[in-house]
């Protein structure tokens, strides 16, 4: 396998290919195949953009039919049948059953663009510039989104001052027993706190890139009440945690809150095609025509995929499947934690967005590499990449899920030793030749 052309011509900015150094060619469901036919189980799912797995046959069929019929592919924000059908289905399957009276904006097709649009809208509606964000939050790489992102490496790459935002402690940031909302409330109530009244607060209900930190339902509920009291808009960035990743379609549903603005992207198109949405309470829609523009807001192929993907949400089957799979993941991660209490913290997360924190931080990267060598793609996240993060497809079958967890478990043994002793020298099974599929590899 030669990756020489990438080294020679592609920018040093590339990242995931360094963690997963192979040449991929085909994919199906929870599996990736390399150019020479090696097979990997995929617990990464395009960083959450492939919740229904790779090339889901039903979505693929809808896309092929659309292309063959000569459907419009690119249409800026002109009205098309594909867009109409998506909006209609989104209203019928997602919004109406949940009693949500949102208007839908199609920003540029990336998550960060949805975040930019949401921030601009909140500032425009309120006439205020300041925005509250939270420690360990991640919202994208463009300047506005970076300004509400915690990670200092990401922020430094901006090359300019990132302003008009204030970071507050997320739920649990100071450890157990310290209520971070009391802290925020004190700031908001005190006219002399130095905090300029914010237009909005933006947050993920489960911080994904920042290290898999779920906010408790109670914290989310009290935050929503506090913000409403101070007339500060609540923006939920559901780009990674939404579209069923944590169980329900919207990650915030079990908290019973209704955000003023919601950002969606990643898995909304169902097929890894670029697409993003901003949902806003009807009365907030004060945009003037063209005020948030962009050439690729009308990628109709993504609308076709998204419409087909929404069929998964017509009943409760998928949500139940996610919850059942989540329990399997939780149990296995808890066993790993118990085996390596020194090196592995308690697992955390929600639905099929779960992680296990490692000490020292580098253990997580070593586990990810060992897993890759054994045929499993699984990434790390957190400020120091100290968390092994699992994002299997929501539609994964149980044997594949168990197989991936088995590989992960063995990867921990490779790195930490089979019986919990650090070092790995007494590992029961050494790494197999790079990328060789598991024996029973489906
Ligand atoms: N918000 C969240 C919560 C994300 O996880 C991401 C991507 N990891 C983004 C925003 C940015 O999305 P994109 O990479 O498509 O710009």
């Amino acid at each position: 396998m030669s990756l020489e052309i990438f080294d020679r011509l592609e920018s040093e900015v590339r990242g995931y290919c360094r963690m997963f150094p192979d040449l991929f060619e085909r994919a199906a469901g929870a599996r990736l195949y390399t150019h020479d036919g090696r097979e990997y189980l995929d617990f990464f799912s395009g960083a959450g953009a492939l919740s229904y797995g790779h090339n889901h046959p039903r979505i693929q069929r809808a896309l092929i039919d659309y292309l063959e019929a000569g459907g419009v592919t690119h249409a800026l924000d002109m009205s098309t049948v594909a867009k109409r059908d998506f909006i209609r289905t989104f209203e019928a399957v997602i919004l109406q059953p949940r009693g949500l009276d949102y208007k839908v904006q199609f920003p540029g097709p990336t998550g960060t663009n949805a975040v930019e649009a949401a921030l601009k809208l909140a500032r425009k509606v309120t006439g205020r510039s300041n925005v509250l964000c939270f420690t360990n939050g991640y919202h994208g790489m463009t300047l506005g989104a970076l300004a509400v992102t915690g990670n200092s490496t990401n922020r430094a790459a901006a090359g300019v001052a990132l302003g008009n935002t204030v970071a507050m402690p997320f739920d649990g940031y100071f450890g157990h027993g310290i209520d971070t909302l009391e802290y925020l409330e004190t700031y908001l109530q005190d006219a002399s706190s130095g905090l300029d009244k914010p237009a909005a607060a933006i947050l993920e209900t489960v911080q994904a890139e920042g290290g898999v930190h779920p906010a408790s339902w109670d914290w989310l509920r009290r935050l929503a009440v506090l913000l409403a009291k101070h007339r500060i808009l609540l923006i939920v960035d559901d780009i990674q945690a939404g579209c069923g990743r944590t169980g329900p379609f919207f990650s915030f549903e079990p908290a019973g809150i209704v955000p003023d603005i919601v950002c969606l992207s990643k898995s909304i198109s169902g097929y890894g095609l670029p697409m993003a949405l901003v949902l806003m309470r009807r009365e907030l829609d004060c945009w003037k025509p063209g005020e948030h523009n962009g050439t690729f807001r009308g990628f109709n192929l993504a609308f076709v995929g998204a419409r087909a993907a929404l069929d998964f949400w017509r009943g409760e089957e998928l949500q139940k499947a996610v919850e059942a799979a989540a329990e399997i993941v939780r149990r296995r991660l808890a066993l790993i934690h118990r085996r390596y209490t020194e090196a592995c913290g308690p697992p955390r997360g929600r639905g099929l967005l779960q992680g296990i924190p490692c000490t020292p931080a580098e253990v997580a990267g070593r586990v990810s590499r060992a897993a890759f060598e054994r045929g499993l793609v699984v990434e790390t996240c957190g400020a120091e990449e100290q968390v092994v993060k699992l994002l299997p497809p929501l539609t994964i079958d149980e044997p594949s899920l168990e197989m991936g967890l088995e590989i992960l478990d063995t990867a921990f043994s490779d790195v930490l030793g089979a019986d919990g002793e650090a070092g790995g020298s007494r590992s029961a099974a050494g790494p197999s030749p790079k990328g060789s599929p598991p024996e029973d590899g489906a």
Side-chain angles (χ1 to χ4, degrees):
M1 168 197 56
S2 173
L3 299 174
E4 184 270 341
I5 185 77
F6 302 101
D7 285 338
R8 192 159 48 80
L9 253 79
E10 195 184 350
S11 162
E12 294 305 314
V13 78
R14 62 201 194 281
Y16 290 117
C17 60
R18 300 173 198 270
M19 292 172 78
F20 311 123
D22 213 328
L23 193 59
F24 300 98
E25 189 170 35
R26 290 180 308 107
R31 286 177 170 78
L32 276 161
Y33 301 92
T34 64
H35 69 116
D36 53 358
R38 273 175 290 179
E39 176 185 299
Y40 288 88
L41 259 173
D42 188 359
F43 274 20
F44 175 48
S45 301
L50 293 163
S51 281
Y52 313 103
H54 294 268
N55 295 321
H56 190 282
R58 194 155 43 73
I59 307 176
Q60 188 178 59
R61 189 72 259 153
L63 295 170
I64 291 170
D65 288 350
Y66 187 76
L67 284 170
E68 281 184 349
V72 171
T73 298
H74 179 275
L76 289 138
D77 63 2
M78 290 188 282
S79 302
T80 62
V81 169
K83 188 196 237 185
R84 179 197 67 193
D85 292 349
F86 165 72
I87 300 177
R88 273 186 183 161
T89 310
F90 191 72
E91 180 181 41
V93 176
I94 302 298
L95 297 180
Q96 275 175 353
R98 292 164 179 79
L100 295 170
D101 187 23
Y102 285 136
K103 285 189 82 180
V104 181
Q105 177 183 356
F106 296 89
T110 59
T112 201
N113 206 294
V115 169
E116 295 292 341
L119 295 173
K120 278 162 75 171
L121 183 67
R123 287 175 169 133
K124 186 172 158 68
V125 168
T126 59
R128 301 174 214 140
S129 60
N130 197 21
V131 171
L132 291 180
C133 53
F134 291 92
T135 48
N136 285 310
Y138 180 90
H139 300 285
M141 286 278 167
T142 48
L143 289 185
L146 272 180
V148 288
T149 289
N151 185 288
S152 55
T153 310
N154 293 338
R155 291 174 66 89
V160 294
L162 298 169
N164 297 302
T165 59
V166 170
M168 285 284 160
F170 194 68
D171 191 16
Y173 186 68
F174 294 129
H176 285 302
I178 298 184
D179 182 1
T180 56
L181 277 187
E182 265 179 32
Y183 180 95
L184 174 58
E185 189 165 20
T186 309
Y187 268 80
L188 290 174
Q189 276 169 356
D190 181 1
S192 200
S193 67
L195 178 70
D196 293 329
K197 183 159 177 159
I202 183 165
L203 76 150
E204 304 153 86
T205 64
V206 181
Q207 295 184 319
E209 304 298 336
V212 191
H213 300 287
S216 73
W217 302 130
D218 177 60
W219 190 88
L220 288 169
R221 262 180 232 120
R222 288 191 299 124
L223 175 70
V225 170
L226 179 64
L227 296 176
K229 182 173 148 200
H230 290 272
R231 300 191 160 279
I232 299 166
L233 299 176
L234 170 59
I235 304 172
V236 170
D237 175 346
D238 235 5
I239 287 166
Q240 190 156 161
C243 297
R245 176 50 60 189
T246 60
F249 185 83
F250 293 111
S251 69
F252 51 81
E253 287 177 48
I257 60 171
V258 179
D260 298 294
I261 301 175
V262 181
C263 301
L264 287 178
S265 186
K266 292 211 191 258
S267 274
I268 186 68
S269 82
Y271 205 76
L273 299 173
M275 177 172 168
L277 291 181
V278 178
L279 310 176
M280 66 200 81
R281 275 199 295 112
R282 181 167 295 279
E283 48 296 10
L284 299 180
D285 185 18
C286 68
W287 287 119
K288 291 202 178 69
E291 246 185 336
H292 188 83
N293 229 325
T295 306
F296 290 108
R297 288 168 301 142
F299 182 29
N300 279 253
L301 216 48
F303 302 154
V304 171
R307 185 195 176 205
L310 288 177
D311 284 344
F312 279 108
W313 295 97
R314 289 188 189 275
E316 291 181 356
E317 219 174 293
L318 183 62
Q319 181 171 343
K320 286 190 177 139
V322 171
E323 278 154 14
E327 191 49 39
I328 294 174
V329 173
R330 212 173 285 125
R331 270 200 236 121
R332 180 56 80 98
L333 294 185
L335 285 180
I336 294 173
H337 161 58
R338 279 208 288 279
R339 194 158 85 237
Y340 304 112
T341 36
E342 300 267 296
C344 300
R348 54 195 191 218
R350 216 166 253 151
L352 286 176
L353 167 46
Q354 297 197 39
I356 181 157
C358 301
T359 319
E362 69 188 45
V363 166
R366 288 171 59 202
V367 167
S368 164
R369 275 192 294 281
F372 189 68
E373 288 186 359
R374 290 183 174 278
L376 175 72
V377 180
V378 66
E379 72 160 333
T380 60
C381 66
E384 299 167 78
E385 299 295 336
Q386 77 280 23
V387 179
V388 178
K389 176 183 168 204
L390 286 74
L391 289 172
L394 309 185
T395 48
I396 193 166
D397 58 273
E398 201 177 313
S400 301
L401 184 65
E402 295 281 11
M403 185 190 297
L405 290 170
E406 189 61 36
I407 297 173
L408 184 69
D409 192 302
T410 312
F412 270 97
S413 302
D414 291 342
V415 174
L416 296 169
D419 57 0
E421 294 285 321
S425 54
R426 277 178 288 151
S427 165
S432 62
K434 186 175 178 309
S436 62
E439 285 297 299
D440 51 346

